[in-house]
Amino acid sequence: MILREFLYVDTDKVRAMLAQIDGGIREEERETERKEKRTTVGPRVAGQYFQGSGSETYTNKSLGDALFPTLEEALESEQLLHDISEEVSDPHTWSSGALREKFPPGTLIRVTAMGSLYDTRYVATTFAAFSSVMAGLAGIGALPSTAPAKPAKGKGGRQQSGSPRSKQASGTPAIEDAIQDFPDVGGVDGSNLRSYVQVSKGVFAPGLHVNLTPVEGVLIGSRLQEGRQFLDSEADILFARYGTEQHEWTIVGSIGSYGTKETGLPEMDFTDADGNLNRAKFAEAMNAQMRNLGRLGFIDLPQHPGFSMIPLAVYRSIARSGVVALNE
């Protein structure tokens, strides 16, 4: 038996796939047993002997974590799920392009590899906590630095403490605004940290990502959709428990898309012969621009030769103590 420590399960998709495979999900069992013995002596009105017994067992099975293993076994029995853990750990598979040909987008796969969690929001809150400590130390004169703090300028050129309160288009503060200004420490100050978060927001859209790196320089990315089923929904709790180090994770899901191999800039000609805007050409031109930015690593898209995954579940396998002892 494989014990799984689930980080994420998309229960809606799991139920939908099980329903397609099995024609429904059995979550309820009912068993009824009844025994009866009847003896009649003399006329029915004079007297009779009756003995009866019965029992009923009703079980309402909440599949919960058992729901996904049921689907995983069903997909394997139907030969719909491909475990490509060995393939992705071979650098030649990536350089040859064989992976893309053998497993096109939409293929259901399982990948077990070393990977880590990443959340831009956690980066921002961590940097904000660090800047708060540094600003506090500077305030009590305990920070060994010759450079003065750099307060941001307010309206009319006046200085104000803390970080600049820039506004997003929605009018809410940006996540990097919680990072305060503090004296330069080893070439790093509040402005630097805010810039790192701004870059992070483009490279990894805010949200929890599981990034597998089976070989150096290649990333298999999976962004977990909030509101499904997390082991914990709070990012700081997840990172407090799992840290930022790499662990062996298993992702089961479908291949979303591969990173583009296009290297040239797209043409921005999206008009027809009559000079009218061609909607199909315009959409493709904009998508080509997005693919180019993804190729450069500037936005949250897969980067060649890696690919993205649409996860059904993310988990860690729990090893038995005997297995651990043998490995050691």
Side-chain angles (χ1 to χ4, degrees), residues 23-325:
I25 305 171
R26 184 167 60 94
E27 297 184 65
E28 179 179 302
E29 287 185 357
R30 185 185 296 271
E31 180 182 345
T32 304
E33 180 181 355
R34 184 173 182 83
K35 295 180 180 179
E36 182 176 304
K37 182 178 181 180
R38 185 183 300 271
T39 303
T40 302
V41 180
R44 188 174 297 275
V45 296
Q48 63 180 12
Y49 171 73
F50 171 78
Q51 179 181 352
S53 65
S55 65
E56 181 174 335
T57 302
Y58 172 72
T59 304
N60 184 12
K61 290 187 174 180
S62 178
L63 295 182
D65 288 343
L67 186 66
F68 172 75
T70 303
L71 174 64
E72 196 171 22
E73 292 175 5
L75 291 174
E76 287 180 333
S77 65
E78 296 290 337
Q79 298 183 350
L80 294 172
L81 182 63
H82 308 275
D83 193 314
I84 64 171
S85 302
E86 291 187 7
E87 285 92 335
V88 298
S89 63
D90 182 4
H92 176 70
T93 305
W94 296 101
S95 59
S96 65
L99 200 67
R100 184 192 292 254
E101 296 178 3
K102 189 175 181 180
F103 305 104
T107 306
L108 287 172
I109 62 171
R110 177 173 57 223
V111 180
T112 300
M114 299 300 291
S116 59
L117 307 180
Y118 192 90
D119 193 330
T120 296
R121 298 168 301 184
Y122 184 69
V123 175
T125 56
T126 301
F127 286 173
F130 175 76
S131 69
S132 178
V133 172
M134 292 297 102
L137 290 175
I140 62 176
L143 184 64
S145 176
T146 56
K150 300 176 181 179
K153 290 185 177 182
K155 293 182 179 180
R158 294 174 296 177
Q159 300 291 329
Q160 61 180 13
S161 60
S163 60
R165 297 297 175 187
S166 60
K167 296 287 184 179
Q168 300 184 102
S170 61
T172 58
I175 59 175
E176 66 269 18
D177 287 343
I179 300 174
Q180 302 180 41
D181 285 308
F182 58 89
D184 186 299
V185 179
V188 176
D189 59 15
S191 178
N192 296 133
L193 297 185
R194 287 191 292 272
S195 298
Y196 286 137
V197 174
Q198 289 173 334
V199 174
S200 182
K201 287 195 301 183
V203 178
F204 293 100
L208 185 61
H209 298 251
V210 180
N211 296 325
L212 301 184
T213 51
V215 298
E216 185 178 358
V218 176
L219 187 144
I220 300 173
S222 180
R223 183 179 177 186
L224 308 187
Q225 184 174 347
E226 296 186 1
R228 296 299 183 178
Q229 182 174 327
F230 284 93
L231 183 65
D232 294 296
S233 59
E234 298 289 340
D236 55 345
I237 295 178
L238 284 173
F239 282 93
R241 292 183 175 180
Y242 296 107
T244 57
E245 297 81 13
Q246 289 199 337
H247 301 279
E248 187 176 76
W249 292 101
T250 297
I251 303 180
V252 178
S254 60
I255 297 178
S257 64
Y258 285 87
T260 181
K261 294 189 290 185
E262 301 172 5
T263 57
L265 292 175
E267 295 184 4
M268 299 302 293
D269 180 14
F270 36 77
T271 57
D272 57 22
D274 296 328
N276 301 319
L277 187 145
N278 185 293
R279 297 177 66 210
K281 289 184 177 181
F282 179 79
E284 176 54 29
M286 294 299 101
N287 284 333
Q289 289 284 5
M290 298 304 103
R291 291 195 296 269
N292 183 59
L293 292 175
R295 176 182 66 85
L296 298 173
F298 289 161
I299 61 175
D300 193 3
L301 284 178
Q303 191 173 31
H304 180 74
F307 59 84
S308 63
M309 284 188 67
I310 304 171
L312 291 171
V314 181
Y315 61 85
R316 295 195 305 184
S317 297
I318 300 176
R320 297 178 184 272
S321 57
V323 176
V324 175

